[in-house]
């Protein structure tokens, strides 16, 4: 009996339904990840229970198989972390990060590769993701790669924020898009701002708005010209007050 067959029998015995094919690590071939549907009972507790999953993992380990689980909650549609796990397992030497948003029957996935990849590999990733989402009854799937689009750099984000701050992440996204930059989605924007915040360049207010820190201002420097960010900011504030 193959490892895949053994795992499938373990899951079937516990009446656990897979949300997609079992994913095998291409380096550690005895390591698998099972994506399974989460369910809720009357007490609003999600199943399968951790006790059940631990028992299945233990049974697999006795056969020399490492088995992990990712629960897919179709009601909340919070797929971002699950898709990251999926891509990291299948394409761990290629994918650095991913950002996924699912709205009803439409999914948008932005893939950040570790380096530029060829069209054939890009198409393999697209096909892999589309097949996975099809299993979840989601057929409208858009897959993009950050190295193929004009994605705003951290410096570009700081420059835009300097002009319109304080502002929300959504307002900042709109400002960048008006400058013809491609903002992948709200998940990407949230991650970008969080990285800048952790680097000390951005401060997040209690109301969810962002502005540059002193370190962020120092990072950008100053300009003495009509194109100065400070002049642009004054004009932007003038528009807000008018």
């Amino acid at each position: 009996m193959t490892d895949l067959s053994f795992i499938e029998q373990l899951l079937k015995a516990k009446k656990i339904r897979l949300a997609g094919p079992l994913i095998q690590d291409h380096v550690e071939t005895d390591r698998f990840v099972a994506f399974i549907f989460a369910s809720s009972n009357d007490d609003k507790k999600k199943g399968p229970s951790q006790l059940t999953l631990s028992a299945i993992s233990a049974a697999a380990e006795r056969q020399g198989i490492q088995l992990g689980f990712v629960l897919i909650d179709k009601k909340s549609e919070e797929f971002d972390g699950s898709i990251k796990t999926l891509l990291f397992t299948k394409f761990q030497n290629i994918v650095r990060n991913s950002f996924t948003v699912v709205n009803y029957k439409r999914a948008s996935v932005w893939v950040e590769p570790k380096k530029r990849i060829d069209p054939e590999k890009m198409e393999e990733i697209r096909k892999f993701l589309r097949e996975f989402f099809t299993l979840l009854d989601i057929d409208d799937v858009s897959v993009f790669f950050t190295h193929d689009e004009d994605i705003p750099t951290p410096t570009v984000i700081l420059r835009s924020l300097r002009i319109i701050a304080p502002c929300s992440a959504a307002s900042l996204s709109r400002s960048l898009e008006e400058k013809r930059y491609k903002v992948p989605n709200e998940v990407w924007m949230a991650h970008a701002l969080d990285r800048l915040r952790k680097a000390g360049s951005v401060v997040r207010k209690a109301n969810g708005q962002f502005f540059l820190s002193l370190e962020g201002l120092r990072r950008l420097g100053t300009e003495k010209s009509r194109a100065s960010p400070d002049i642009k900011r004054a004009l932007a504030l003038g528009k807000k007050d008018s």
Side-chain angles (χ1 to χ4, degrees):
M1 181 184 297
T2 65
D3 289 347
L4 282 171
S5 299
F6 180 76
I7 295 170
E8 288 170 351
Q9 285 195 9
L10 282 177
L11 296 174
K12 186 177 181 180
K14 296 294 184 179
K15 298 182 179 179
I16 293 176
R17 187 162 61 102
L18 284 167
L22 287 163
I23 306 301
Q24 183 176 19
D25 192 313
H26 69 283
V27 176
E28 297 180 41
T29 55
D30 61 345
R31 180 171 175 259
F32 295 81
V33 176
F35 287 78
I36 58 177
F37 287 116
S39 58
S40 299
N41 57 26
D42 294 336
D43 297 327
K44 296 183 179 180
K45 293 181 181 179
K46 290 184 179 180
S49 69
Q50 188 56 52
L51 183 63
T52 298
L53 297 180
S54 295
I56 295 172
S57 294
E61 190 172 356
R62 287 194 289 271
Q63 298 295 318
I65 302 170
Q66 299 179 57
L67 178 60
F69 296 95
V70 175
L71 267 65
I72 300 293
D73 187 344
K74 294 184 70 176
K75 290 185 178 180
S76 65
E77 295 184 338
E78 294 177 353
F79 288 100
D80 185 53
S82 299
I83 296 302
K84 279 185 174 65
T85 302
L86 183 71
L87 290 171
F88 291 166
T89 302
K90 183 70 176 179
F91 303 101
Q92 62 182 358
N93 295 326
I94 299 173
V95 175
R96 183 186 308 280
N97 211 343
S98 70
F99 310 94
T100 303
V101 171
V102 176
N103 292 311
Y104 187 53
K105 293 289 187 178
R106 175 178 296 177
S108 171
V109 184
W110 282 79
V111 179
E112 180 184 340
K114 292 182 178 179
K115 59 183 179 180
R116 181 168 288 277
I117 55 180
D118 58 52
E120 290 77 14
K121 184 58 68 174
M122 291 166 62
E123 188 55 36
E124 181 183 344
I125 293 173
R126 284 193 180 98
K127 182 180 178 183
F128 180 74
L129 287 171
R130 285 168 180 159
E131 287 177 350
F132 177 77
F133 276 108
T134 297
L135 295 166
L136 305 177
D137 297 323
I138 297 173
D139 296 318
D140 188 353
V141 182
S142 299
V143 182
F144 306 95
F145 294 84
T146 56
H147 60 45
D148 275 0
E149 304 289 343
D150 196 5
I151 306 297
T153 64
T155 300
V156 167
I157 293 173
L158 291 177
R159 284 174 179 165
S160 292
L161 184 58
R162 181 180 192 174
I163 294 170
I164 66 172
C167 67
S168 65
S171 295
L172 181 57
S173 293
R174 287 194 295 271
S175 176
L176 290 164
E177 287 169 346
E178 287 170 1
K179 296 180 176 68
R180 303 299 177 89
Y181 288 101
K182 185 71 174 179
V183 178
N185 50 45
E186 57 265 37
V187 176
W188 181 91
M189 190 77 257
H191 278 265
L193 285 168
D194 194 50
R195 285 195 297 268
L196 289 169
R197 182 188 60 79
K198 290 177 179 177
S201 298
V202 165
V203 176
R204 185 181 187 276
K205 298 172 69 175
N207 64 2
Q209 292 193 319
F210 295 85
F211 62 93
L212 290 187
S213 66
L214 181 59
E215 177 58 33
L217 289 168
R218 285 174 177 167
R219 177 173 173 176
L220 290 180
T222 59
E223 297 177 23
K224 295 181 179 179
S225 70
R226 290 185 178 181
S228 165
D230 296 317
I231 293 176
K232 290 181 180 179
R233 173 170 170 76
L235 291 171
L237 289 173
K239 287 181 180 179
K240 284 184 179 179
D241 294 336
S242 60

